[in-house]
Amino acid sequence: MLAGVLLLALPFCAAERASGYAGSTVVASYPPAGATNTAIDYYFPYASQVGYQGPTPTGAEPEAIVTAIPFSKVENAFPLSRPNSQDGGPDSTFNVMRYWGNLSPMYSVKSFGLPDASPIIPEGCGLNAVHLLMRHGARYPTSDSGPSQFAAEIHSAVSKEGFSVTGDLEFLATWTYKLGTGILTPFGRQVLFSNGVAFRYRYGELLNAFTDLPVFRTTSQDRMVDSALNFAAGFFDVRNYHSDYHQEITIEADNVNNTLAPSHVCPNSNTEDIGHFGSTQASKWANVYLQAAQTRLQTMVQGFNLTISDLVNMQEMCAYETVALGFSKFCDLFTEEEWEGYEYYVDLGFWYSHGPGNPTAASLGLGYVQELVARLTQTPIAVWNSSTNSTLNSNNITFPLNQPIYVDAAHDTVITSIITALNFTSLAANGPLPIDHIPPNRSYIASQLAPFASQLVAQVLSCPASGDPTHIRFILNDAVVPLPGVHGCMEDQNGLCALPTFLSGMQERIGQIDFAHDCFADYTMPSPNNIIDGRYPGRVEED
C-alpha cells in the first residue's frame, strides 16, 4: 500500500530519485494468520455429506486425437497480458512471449520439418498406447537467480547518493521485487490443469483398456508435485482424482538415481567447464546482441552501472513477472531484435549445456530411453548403467510395463537431454551453433523444445488398425518430429517408424552412449566443440 500512496502523492520529475524501498522484496502470506479455524468447519460440510447431488452418470470416453479435425492448438497464454517490445505496438504481430526460450509458455509449434503432418492419428491407423513426458508449469525463479540479484543491486544502489532514473526506467524508482522462489505461479497451475483436461479429451478412450489404476510419475520438488497433481485433477476429476490413479513421487536429490532428474548422479553435468559450458557460450553472445541496449538504457539511470548481465536479468525479469504477476514493465525496454537475441542466448545455453553440443546430454537422457524401451517391449530393465533406479524399476508396482497411458513429469533440461538421447537429429541440423550471430532457419529453438508445460508425446499405433502395435511416432508441443536419426527409420510424411525398427534403433543408440565415461571421466571440453549428438567424441559403449 505504501508504494501506491507514494505514486499518487509524488508525481514523477524529469529524473526520479528512487524511494528507499526500491528493489526490495515483497512477500505475501495467505491464508492470513489465525484464519484457519476447525471449530467452524461444521458449518461447511463436504458435498458427500450434504447429499442431493442429482443424477451423476458419465458419458463415453473421448478420443479426439482420432476424431477431431482440425486439431485444437495452443495459441495464447490467457489470462496473461501480451507484452510489447520497445519498437512494437499493440497491433504488432511480434509475440514477445515466444522469444523467452525455456521461460516461454508452451505454444503449438507449426512444424519440425513435416509441415503436412498432424497430431491427429493418421487415417487407417489405430491408437494403442500413449507415453507423455511433460515439463512442470510456469514457476518463480530459482534461488540465487539473476532477477533476484538484480533486485538486490537496485535496492543497494538506492541507499547511496546519486541514484536516479528517468524515461523508460522511471518505474524503477518505486519498483519492488514480488517474485517467490521455485514454486508454480497461478498461471503455471492453470496450464497444467488445462493440459490434463486436453489430454483426457485426446486420449481418454485408452482408459477403457486399464485393468488396474494407472501409475503416473513425478519428482519430489514442490513444483513437480504441484504440476503432476494439477494435471491429474484436470485429467481425472478435481474431487476424485486422488482415488483414480497412483501418483509416484521419486526423490530428487544428490546421489539418488532418478531418470526424471538425472543430473544428480552425473557429476560432469554440474561442473563449470563442462556442465555449465552453455552459460559461457551464451554470455559471449550477450556481449554482442545487448550492446545497443546497454548504451540506450544507461542514459536513463544515474548512480548505477548497467552491465550486460544486468540486461539479461532484466529480460528474464520480463518473463518471470509476466507469468507470475500477469504483466511486466521490463518487457518493452527491449526491441524486437534484442528479444530475438535473447531467444538465441537461451538456445545457446541449452545447446551447449543440455543438448546436442554437450558431452553429458545423451547420458542424462539415457535412463529414460531405457525405460521407454522397457515399456514398449514390456520387458524389465536388466542392465543398470545409467540414472535408472534399480529399486523402483525392478518393481512392477512402481514401474508397471503394461499401461496404455504413461505420464511422467520432468524439468526442461531433462526433456532436452532425452530428445538428444533419442537422437532427434533433425533438431540438431544447424549445429554446432555459432556465438557471434544467429544462423538463418535454425532448427534448435528452446521455446519450441522445452517451454513451461512442454509436452513430448509418443503415440504407439497399429497401421492398419488392430490390437497389436506396429508403429510409433513422436509429437513435441503439437508438432510431429521426423526420425531420420533413428537407424532404420525411413522418411515418412506422418513421422511414422515401424515399431520393431525403432526399438532396434534405440538399442543401437543405447549401446553408443557411455554413461560412465561421459558423466564421471576426467576430460575437458573439446576445442573447437563440434559435438552434435550429446556424446564425448569417439566414445562408443561396448555391448
Side-chain angles (χ1 to χ4, degrees), residues 140-218:
Y140 294 112
T142 53
S143 57
D144 299 323
S145 67
S148 64
Q149 292 172 15
F150 173 78
E153 291 172 3
I154 292 294
H155 190 52
S156 175
V158 301
S159 65
K160 303 171 185 176
E161 287 295 326
F163 182 88
S164 63
V165 283
T166 187
D168 291 343
L169 293 183
E170 200 171 57
F171 74 93
L172 286 177
T174 53
W175 171 79
T176 54
Y177 185 71
K178 300 179 177 68
L179 303 178
T181 302
I183 64 174
L184 293 189
T185 68
F187 175 70
R189 297 195 299 269
Q190 172 213 317
V191 171
L192 264 295
F193 181 88
S194 297
N195 284 357
V197 173
F199 205 71
R200 182 66 173 259
Y201 271 104
R202 293 169 182 171
Y203 299 101
E205 198 275 336
L206 289 173
L207 288 172
N208 293 326
F210 275 90
T211 58
D212 205 344
L213 293 182
V215 175
F216 295 171
R217 300 188 304 171
T218 190

Side-chain angles (χ1 to χ4, degrees), residues 102 133-137 139 192 410-412 415 450-454:
N102 63 317
L133 176 67
M134 65 182 184
R135 185 191 174 196
H136 61 73
R139 58 165 173 80
L192 264 295
H411 299 275
D412 48 2
I415 291 176
F452 284 133
S454 180

Side-chain angles (χ1 to χ4, degrees), residues 68 70-71 114-122 459 473 475 478 480 493-494:
F71 181 79
L114 296 173
D116 297 326
S118 166
I120 300 296
I121 302 302
Q459 294 177 339
R473 67 174 186 162
I475 298 161
D478 296 341
V480 180
Q493 64 177 358
N494 291 310

Side-chain angles (χ1 to χ4, degrees), residues 403-439:
Q403 294 190 167
I405 300 174
Y406 294 94
V407 176
D408 294 321
H411 299 275
D412 48 2
T413 57
V414 181
I415 291 176
T416 56
S417 296
I418 289 171
I419 290 170
T420 304
L422 288 166
N423 215 25
F424 289 171
T425 55
S426 62
L427 302 178
N430 296 133
L433 298 184
I435 59 173
D436 58 354
H437 68 280
I438 302 176

